[in-house]
Amino acid sequence: MSKRDYYSRQTILKEVGEEGQLKISNSKVLIIGAGGLGHPVATYLASAGFGEIAILDFDKVEESNLNRQVCFTLEDLGKFKAEILGLRVKKQNPYIKVSSIVEKLTPINVNKIMNQFDMVIDCCDNFATKYLLHDAAWFLKKDLVQASIYQYEGQVQVFNYSKNS
């Protein structure tokens, strides 16, 4: 299958087209968190053809993850979530670059990590990291999408910091 054929269903949409697909393919996205939110985000960004996707998470797969984090299997127990999700996503789309970052995001490393990407998608599950990402995105002028879930409710916020000079 050619790259053109792979993306044909979205490039026929007038809102995307060849030009839009080229923009998507040239984008670099950092996903923070490889759990319940990170799974669908990573798989859909890969399907859309975002050119470079990095997944940052330092947690390991546990039994309690398996029923809702569908890219993980019993064989993945004890392995790093970012690495396993990265492998699954790369198998999904051979035309993209996928990397895994197995480390905790801290005030020491946040700028170095975020600076490499056009956009950051926050799928983490703790407020300290959310605040850190928000502040770093503002200072670095990086677009940030923050998502949160609690039981049956979800929330999404978009901060277009790259547009604000």
Side-chain angles (χ1 to χ4, degrees):
M1 175 185 292
S2 72
K3 192 174 184 178
R4 183 182 200 103
D5 289 339
Y6 190 89
Y7 299 121
S8 66
R9 290 293 184 186
Q10 64 198 46
T11 56
I12 62 172
L13 300 171
K14 65 180 179 181
E15 295 84 0
V16 178
E18 296 287 336
E19 186 177 321
Q21 188 61 47
L22 184 61
K23 287 180 182 178
I24 292 170
S25 295
N26 289 329
S27 296
K28 298 198 258 182
V29 180
L30 173 63
I31 301 169
I32 309 293
L37 285 172
H39 266 67
V41 169
T43 56
Y44 281 104
L45 292 181
S47 294
F50 279 79
E52 188 174 329
I53 299 172
I55 303 165
L56 183 144
D57 198 313
F58 65 96
D59 284 340
K60 292 182 178 180
V61 179
E62 299 175 4
E63 285 183 17
S64 65
N65 304 138
L66 299 179
N67 75 321
R68 66 192 192 291
Q69 297 172 18
V70 297
C71 292
F72 300 146
T73 67
L74 285 170
E75 292 80 33
D76 301 323
L77 291 175
K79 297 177 183 174
F80 287 106
K81 288 182 173 185
E83 291 176 351
I84 299 303
L85 184 56
L87 290 172
R88 300 292 192 276
V89 167
K90 182 60 180 163
K91 285 182 181 178
Q92 180 184 345
N93 185 343
Y95 302 108
I96 62 172
K97 179 181 176 188
V98 180
S99 59
S100 301
I101 304 169
V102 179
E103 68 183 275
K104 185 175 182 174
L105 200 66
T106 68
I108 304 297
N109 66 11
V110 67
N111 289 351
K112 180 182 174 199
I113 292 171
M114 283 180 60
N115 244 341
Q116 305 169 55
F117 301 94
D118 305 313
M119 180 190 321
V120 177
I121 302 179
D122 170 10
C123 300
C124 75
D125 59 2
N126 71 79
F127 287 112
T129 303
K130 288 186 177 303
Y131 291 132
L132 176 62
L133 286 168
H134 183 269
D135 291 349
W138 186 83
F139 282 110
L140 297 170
K141 303 298 183 221
K142 300 288 182 179
D143 292 334
L144 173 66
V145 177
Q146 286 192 304
S148 299
I149 55 173
Y150 178 70
Q151 295 180 349
Y152 298 108
E153 297 182 17
Q155 186 177 72
V156 175
Q157 300 173 66
V158 178
F159 300 95
N160 293 316
Y161 291 134
S162 69
K163 308 286 186 268
N164 302 332
S165 299

